[in-house]
Every structure is written in C-alpha cells, then in structure tokens.
Amino acid sequence: MPTTDDTTWLAHAVDLATANVAGGGGPFGAVIVRGDELVSTGQNRVTRDNDPTAHAEVVAIRSACSVLGDFSLAGCTLYTSCEPCPLCVSAALWARLDRVVFAADRDDAARGGFDDREFYELFERPRTEWTMAVSAHPLPTGFAPFEAWLAKSDRVRY
C-alpha cells in the first residue's frame, strides 16, 4: 500500500534521475531509506564510468552497504525512478532489501528508449535461443572453491 513517504522518496529519486540527464547521465535515479532516514542515493553512471553495471539502483546499493558497513540492507527500502531491470532486481534481492518501490514502469522505459522488456523476455526463453552463448563446462576441480568455503569455519554467511 503506497504511503505519503513513498511519494516523497519516489519524487526524490525522480528528481535525481532528471538532474542526472542534465548532467550528461542516464535518466535513472534511486534512493535507499531505512525508516525515515536517507541512507544513500544513486544515479545512472553507465556512460560516465564506462561500467554497464553502474545502474542507479546498483550505485545506491553499493553506497548504502558502505554507509551501513554491511552487505545486508534488511530493514531498508529502495525507491527508484523506474522499474528495476533484471540486474537491479537481482542486486536488490542479494542486498536483502525489504521493499522496492518504483515510479515509471518498463513500458515507460521502452518509450524513453530503454527497452528492459527485452531482458525480462530473454529469461523466459531457453538459453539455446539467446544471442549470447551461456554454457557449462564442468571441470574435475569445479567444486573446489565450495569445498574450501564449506571447510572455512569463520566464513561469513550470506
């Protein structure tokens, strides 16, 4: 159920996205909030940093983890100017965010020249139909890193 706070934080994310366009970046902005506290912000830095993973949501997640000193953002909400692409949804899941709230959706993104629908649709097709080959090549030592992990008594579980 949307709240007044949702509207306020989403407006902040949209303002960041619009400002980023004026500054030469992509039209995406995000904020991460814990309770009523702003933890971090992010703006799309893909072309600025030549980093295809520097989406606004990922930038905000990286910053929030640094600010909070934890890889888990449980208890936090991600507000983003546009529906997160599969990369950003995955990052939000790995970060253990409680909620993700977005303003524009994937259809709006497509109208704006960003067709994230292609990636959502790609994951629904068998990998044999993808334009990029993704295949397994098992090695006898392939499980060795996991054996080392499982044997490590002081590992930090995530």
Side-chain angles (χ1 to χ4, degrees):
M1 194 82 173
T3 68
T4 303
D5 287 344
D6 288 345
T7 301
T8 300
W9 291 119
L10 276 175
H12 187 45
V14 169
D15 289 345
L16 285 169
T18 304
N20 201 45
V21 171
F28 303 97
V31 299
I32 294 181
V33 176
R34 183 171 60 182
D36 58 1
E37 169 196 6
L38 176 64
V39 176
S40 70
T41 65
Q43 293 171 299
N44 183 281
R45 299 290 187 225
V46 171
T47 56
R48 188 197 81 175
D49 296 351
N50 293 318
D51 178 353
T53 68
H55 293 200
E57 298 89 340
V58 173
V59 171
I61 288 168
R62 289 173 180 160
S63 177
C65 289
S66 178
V67 166
L68 297 177
D70 198 340
F71 57 82
S72 173
L73 297 178
C76 295
T77 299
L78 168 65
Y79 293 95
T80 182
S81 62
C82 189
E83 180 178 4
C85 72
L87 166 76
C88 296
V89 168
S90 297
L93 288 166
W94 277 111
R96 312 295 196 257
L97 286 155
D98 286 5
R99 298 173 61 217
V100 176
V101 183
F102 59 89
D105 65 17
R106 65 183 78 171
D107 296 319
D108 295 320
R111 284 186 328 176
F114 295 86
D115 201 356
D116 296 352
R117 289 181 300 192
E118 289 181 30
F119 293 112
Y120 281 103
E121 292 167 2
L122 174 72
F123 293 127
E124 294 174 4
R125 295 195 303 263
R127 284 188 180 174
T128 56
E129 296 178 17
W130 292 16
T131 58
M132 177 185 70
V134 177
S135 60
H137 185 89
L139 294 175
T141 57
F143 195 73
F146 296 107
E147 289 173 338
W149 173 256
L150 291 170
K152 186 173 172 51
S153 63
D154 63 342
R155 69 182 178 264
V156 176
R157 295 188 175 165
Y158 63 99

